[in-house]
mmCIF file of all heavy atoms in Angstrom:
data_model
loop_
_atom_site.group_PDB
_atom_site.id
_atom_site.type_symbol
_atom_site.label_atom_id
_atom_site.label_comp_id
_atom_site.label_asym_id
_atom_site.label_seq_id
_atom_site.Cartn_x
_atom_site.Cartn_y
_atom_site.Cartn_z
ATOM 1 N N ARG A 475 87.306 105.386 99.404
ATOM 2 C CA ARG A 475 86.673 106.085 100.516
ATOM 3 C C ARG A 475 87.332 105.692 101.832
ATOM 4 O O ARG A 475 87.579 106.531 102.679
ATOM 5 C CB ARG A 475 85.179 105.779 100.571
ATOM 6 C CG ARG A 475 84.373 106.645 99.661
ATOM 7 C CD ARG A 475 83.077 107.105 100.319
ATOM 8 N NE ARG A 475 83.307 107.927 101.496
ATOM 9 C CZ ARG A 475 83.542 109.230 101.460
ATOM 10 N NH1 ARG A 475 83.569 109.866 100.319
ATOM 11 N NH2 ARG A 475 83.733 109.907 102.565
ATOM 12 N N GLU A 490 103.347 103.802 109.882
ATOM 13 C CA GLU A 490 104.417 104.764 110.104
ATOM 14 C C GLU A 490 105.049 104.625 111.481
ATOM 15 O O GLU A 490 106.266 104.648 111.605
ATOM 16 C CB GLU A 490 103.870 106.186 109.925
ATOM 17 C CG GLU A 490 103.475 106.519 108.513
ATOM 18 C CD GLU A 490 104.655 106.419 107.573
ATOM 19 O OE1 GLU A 490 105.676 107.033 107.869
ATOM 20 O OE2 GLU A 490 104.540 105.722 106.561
ATOM 21 N N ASP A 491 104.238 104.552 112.510
ATOM 22 C CA ASP A 491 104.791 104.499 113.857
ATOM 23 C C ASP A 491 103.773 103.955 114.839
ATOM 24 O O ASP A 491 102.840 104.646 115.227
ATOM 25 C CB ASP A 491 105.251 105.894 114.304
ATOM 26 C CG ASP A 491 106.186 105.815 115.481
ATOM 27 O OD1 ASP A 491 105.958 104.958 116.349
ATOM 28 O OD2 ASP A 491 107.140 106.600 115.534
ATOM 29 N N ARG A 496 99.889 104.454 119.684
ATOM 30 C CA ARG A 496 99.420 104.091 121.019
ATOM 31 C C ARG A 496 99.397 105.304 121.914
ATOM 32 O O ARG A 496 98.481 105.483 122.722
ATOM 33 C CB ARG A 496 100.341 103.021 121.604
ATOM 34 C CG ARG A 496 100.077 101.645 121.010
ATOM 35 C CD ARG A 496 101.282 100.755 121.094
ATOM 36 N NE ARG A 496 101.743 100.566 122.461
ATOM 37 C CZ ARG A 496 102.894 99.979 122.780
ATOM 38 N NH1 ARG A 496 103.680 99.531 121.826
ATOM 39 N NH2 ARG A 496 103.252 99.849 124.024
ATOM 40 N N GLY A 499 96.251 107.339 121.806
ATOM 41 C CA GLY A 499 94.976 106.750 122.199
ATOM 42 C C GLY A 499 94.332 105.890 121.141
ATOM 43 O O GLY A 499 93.126 105.695 121.146
ATOM 44 N N ARG A 604 100.315 111.660 98.358
ATOM 45 C CA ARG A 604 99.545 112.088 99.507
ATOM 46 C C ARG A 604 98.380 112.943 99.030
ATOM 47 O O ARG A 604 98.541 113.763 98.136
ATOM 48 C CB ARG A 604 100.390 112.937 100.464
ATOM 49 C CG ARG A 604 101.630 112.292 100.972
ATOM 50 C CD ARG A 604 101.446 111.037 101.745
ATOM 51 N NE ARG A 604 100.182 110.873 102.448
ATOM 52 C CZ ARG A 604 99.744 109.709 102.840
ATOM 53 N NH1 ARG A 604 100.432 108.620 102.563
ATOM 54 N NH2 ARG A 604 98.633 109.608 103.482
ATOM 55 N N ASP B 151 98.395 101.513 127.486
ATOM 56 C CA ASP B 151 98.805 102.868 127.100
ATOM 57 C C ASP B 151 97.719 103.690 126.416
ATOM 58 O O ASP B 151 97.491 104.843 126.755
ATOM 59 C CB ASP B 151 100.044 102.791 126.205
ATOM 60 C CG ASP B 151 99.969 101.622 125.252
ATOM 61 O OD1 ASP B 151 98.864 101.312 124.798
ATOM 62 O OD2 ASP B 151 101.025 101.019 124.959
ATOM 63 N N SER B 155 95.954 107.399 127.459
ATOM 64 C CA SER B 155 95.934 108.562 126.584
ATOM 65 C C SER B 155 94.507 109.059 126.370
ATOM 66 O O SER B 155 94.258 110.259 126.304
ATOM 67 C CB SER B 155 96.615 108.188 125.276
ATOM 68 O OG SER B 155 96.061 108.887 124.223
ATOM 69 N N ARG B 167 108.549 111.318 117.209
ATOM 70 C CA ARG B 167 107.870 110.209 116.533
ATOM 71 C C ARG B 167 106.675 110.753 115.787
ATOM 72 O O ARG B 167 105.603 110.898 116.341
ATOM 73 C CB ARG B 167 107.406 109.171 117.546
ATOM 74 C CG ARG B 167 108.519 108.321 118.081
ATOM 75 C CD ARG B 167 107.961 107.268 118.984
ATOM 76 N NE ARG B 167 108.969 106.300 119.334
ATOM 77 C CZ ARG B 167 109.272 105.259 118.578
ATOM 78 N NH1 ARG B 167 108.637 105.050 117.458
ATOM 79 N NH2 ARG B 167 110.207 104.417 118.957
ATOM 80 N N GLU B 171 105.607 109.718 106.599
ATOM 81 C CA GLU B 171 105.212 109.747 105.199
ATOM 82 C C GLU B 171 103.825 110.334 105.003
ATOM 83 O O GLU B 171 103.301 110.362 103.894
ATOM 84 C CB GLU B 171 105.286 108.332 104.601
ATOM 85 C CG GLU B 171 106.706 107.983 104.224
ATOM 86 C CD GLU B 171 106.811 106.637 103.564
ATOM 87 O OE1 GLU B 171 105.818 106.189 102.970
ATOM 88 O OE2 GLU B 171 107.895 106.038 103.641
ATOM 89 N N GLU B 176 97.519 115.571 107.883
ATOM 90 C CA GLU B 176 97.080 114.201 108.178
ATOM 91 C C GLU B 176 97.538 113.761 109.559
ATOM 92 O O GLU B 176 96.811 113.065 110.267
ATOM 93 C CB GLU B 176 97.640 113.238 107.123
ATOM 94 C CG GLU B 176 96.886 113.290 105.823
ATOM 95 C CD GLU B 176 97.477 112.339 104.807
ATOM 96 O OE1 GLU B 176 98.655 112.488 104.451
ATOM 97 O OE2 GLU B 176 96.761 111.437 104.385
ATOM 98 N N GLY B 193 80.817 106.426 107.157
ATOM 99 C CA GLY B 193 81.894 106.965 106.340
ATOM 100 C C GLY B 193 81.718 106.616 104.876
ATOM 101 O O GLY B 193 81.888 107.451 103.991
#
Side-chain angles (χ1 to χ4, degrees):
Chain A
R475 276 221 63 84
E490 292 299 308
D491 197 322
R496 283 155 58 190
R604 303 300 333 160
Chain B
D151 39 35
S155 149
R167 285 184 170 275
E171 279 183 25
E176 283 179 300

